[in-house]
Amino acid sequence: MTDAALSFVHRYEPATRAEAPPLLLLHGTGGDENDLIPLGGMIAPGSALLSPRGKVLEGGMPRFFRRLREGVFDEDDVRARAAELAGFIAEARAAHGLAAPVAVGFSNGANIAAALLLTQPDVLAGAVLIRAMVPLAVPPPADLAGRRVLLLSGAMDPIVPEENAARLAVQLRAAGAELDHRTLPAGHGLSQADLTLARDWLRAPARTAA
Ligand code: MLT
């Protein structure tokens, strides 16, 4: 069900397995709150799914923050939108009695998830970042000790250069995240390997509970 009562239009699917970690699903440019619900069900069966729609419109396409052009971000907006999204997560946790979620973001959704990790390090229990790039050239100091992050990059990604994904990996590791960075033989789009790796990573026992 799409619900507008909280500060973001979103979909919420309650957990069917109490011990499954809640997922925060963050769509790519032009997507909406419905896009990643099937993916969430595939990679984390039984998890509560919280899926907001990005509030920024670019030519009518929802996104999670403003960009000046492809790959060049309005960093003040990145910071402000990450703070706004953190507020929504707090509201939704209170409304639904949820633990801190693990973010699963694709493309622009992965970039706002990376910005959340680096600017609001207490908000997420961990993250799966699919085709993410550096959201902030110089992030503030953050303590991500104990937070697991899976970064899935595409070797043939025309939007995210390898060097950029590597720089994000350095930022996350410098903040203390337990980062697993995989580069797949893929472009910018989602592949079956992304789903398999994300599912296996989410199942791994060392997952941070918060
Ligand atoms: C972004 O703008 O976040 C990235 O360029 C990915 C995209 O949404 O195309």
Side-chain angles (χ1 to χ4, degrees):
M1 182 184 87
T2 294
D3 177 3
L6 305 183
S7 61
F8 276 66
V9 175
H10 68 285
R11 259 180 79 172
Y12 175 67
E13 304 287 336
T16 55
R17 275 194 316 126
E19 71 284 8
L23 297 192
L24 174 74
L25 301 173
L26 299 166
H27 63 77
T29 301
D32 69 18
E33 66 278 17
N34 299 307
D35 279 23
L36 297 183
I37 296 282
L39 175 142
M42 276 186 262
I43 64 176
S47 281
L49 304 177
L50 178 63
S51 184
R53 184 193 305 171
K55 288 188 180 188
V56 171
L57 289 179
E58 183 186 271
M61 296 189 297
R63 292 174 47 84
F64 287 96
F65 56 81
R66 265 169 40 82
R67 64 179 164 184
L68 307 177
R69 56 177 190 277
E70 191 168 284
V72 182
F73 303 149
D74 175 341
E75 294 201 6
D76 288 339
D77 197 58
V78 171
R79 286 188 182 80
R81 298 289 175 180
E84 184 181 49
L85 187 57
F88 164 75
I89 295 165
E91 286 169 22
R93 287 187 61 185
H96 300 296
L98 297 174
V102 175
V104 177
F106 168 64
S107 188
N108 180 247
N111 297 341
I112 194 72
L116 266 177
L117 287 168
L118 292 165
T119 63
Q120 314 276 335
D122 299 331
V123 165
L124 299 175
V128 178
L129 308 176
I130 305 174
R131 310 297 182 269
M133 58 195 295
V134 167
L136 295 169
V138 183
D143 181 4
L144 291 171
R147 299 284 196 281
R148 291 176 70 229
V149 179
L150 176 63
L151 173 57
L152 298 175
S153 302
M156 284 100 67
D157 189 333
I159 295 177
V160 184
E162 209 175 323
E163 162 283 321
N164 189 299
R167 208 149 29 94
L168 176 59
V170 167
Q171 289 183 349
L172 291 166
R173 284 204 179 100
E178 201 185 303
L179 180 74
D180 187 353
H181 184 194
R182 308 285 182 96
T183 301
L184 314 181
H188 195 69
L190 272 169
S191 69
Q192 182 59 45
D194 290 292
L195 302 188
T196 306
L197 286 166
R199 187 197 58 203
D200 292 350
W201 182 90
L202 284 162
R203 271 191 201 149
R207 192 186 55 249
T208 311

